[in-house]
Amino acid sequence: MNKCQILVVEDDAPVRNLITTTLKAHEYRFVTAADGSTAVMEAASHNPDIILLDLGLPDIDGVEVIRRIRSWSNVPIIVISARSEDSDKIDALDAGADDYLTKPFSVEELLARLRVTQRRLALMNGSGSQEAVYINSRLRIDYVSGCAYLNDEEMHLTPMEYRLLCLLAQNTGKVLTHKFITQSVWGSSWDNDVGSLRVFMATLRKKLERSPGAPQYIQTHIGIGYRMVKIE
Ligand code: CA
């Protein structure tokens, strides 16, 4: 599985070495960059499969690096953030990052994030995102008829819940921010109405999850947003 090439963008040499040592041990190929402008050039010249991007870089801000790369590429970007505040992660996700790691992170966390991203890549490349039917374990969405099924039984969803479910399904594996979800599902007049989103999410989970208190399908990222998980 690991013939994946990763661009590692990190100015802190010990952290960069920890990452590259881990990648080497798990048979990932990689290239490195120690600042933002090199990162943008390397992304263009090497066409990596995944980018690991530190947000605090000496020249350009990591969020600006994401914006530049997103102007031509959909390559999955996992941001590495040292700051404990959520705002920089949210800015990065809104600029088009797919996922995040918070420093200090363990080798296991790094590998887990890479596996999630590789599964997402496999879904994207397997034209999974363009299929008319979405299947994720017990959940099936038939986009053509506009119906969702759980264990082959039709779910009785409101139009809002259905749109919310489809948006999450179409972005399986990716963390979506509150702002992205509210703007996509309800339009800009609902900009960041997190309270209403929580209410719709709670009713959707009651219908979707076996145990809404310990959800399997939809992960909560506190203060940031939600992610649909691909169930093995
Ligand atoms: Ca840094």
Side-chain angles (χ1 to χ4, degrees), residues 13-154:
V15 179
R16 195 171 61 234
N17 290 340
L18 169 74
I19 295 172
T20 55
T21 306
T22 306
L23 295 181
K24 216 179 281 174
H26 292 83
E27 295 174 357
Y28 286 97
R29 294 178 298 131
F30 59 86
V31 285
T32 60
D35 60 57
S37 42
T38 312
V40 175
M41 280 192 308
E42 293 288 328
S45 57
H46 283 94
N47 203 15
D49 300 299
I50 299 173
I51 299 177
L52 280 170
L53 173 69
D54 179 33
L55 286 179
L57 295 168
D59 56 343
I60 353 174
D61 189 69
V63 174
E64 179 56 28
V65 172
I66 297 168
R67 286 201 189 100
R68 292 194 196 172
I69 292 173
R70 277 287 173 266
S71 65
W72 83 87
S73 171
N74 281 322
V75 56
I77 300 175
I78 303 172
V79 296
I80 302 172
S81 163
R83 288 155 277 186
S84 55
E85 299 98 69
D86 293 328
S87 60
D88 59 332
K89 290 171 208 155
I90 292 171
D91 289 346
L93 292 164
D94 279 333
D98 295 74
D99 203 347
Y100 60 88
L101 272 165
T102 306
K103 283 182 189 171
F105 55 85
S106 66
V107 163
E108 287 71 28
E109 281 177 277
L110 169 64
L111 291 170
R113 296 272 68 79
L114 289 174
R115 280 194 301 271
V116 167
T117 306
Q118 280 183 285
R119 278 202 289 274
R120 180 170 155 68
L121 267 177
L123 281 175
M124 282 158 68
N125 296 341
S127 73
S129 54
Q130 298 301 314
E131 299 276 345
V133 178
Y134 172 86
I135 296 171
N136 187 352
S137 185
R138 297 174 294 122
L139 171 66
R140 177 163 57 90
I141 305 172
D142 183 333
Y143 294 122
V144 178
S145 64
C147 295
Y149 303 84
L150 201 57
N151 295 323
D152 290 326
E153 270 182 49
E154 189 176 344

Side-chain angles (χ1 to χ4, degrees), residues 174-192:
K174 182 168 174 167
V175 179
L176 304 181
T177 64
H178 295 132
K179 184 176 161 195
F180 178 83
I181 297 172
T182 51
Q183 288 190 344
S184 306
V185 177
W186 293 286
S188 55
S189 60
W190 284 69
D191 188 10
N192 243 351

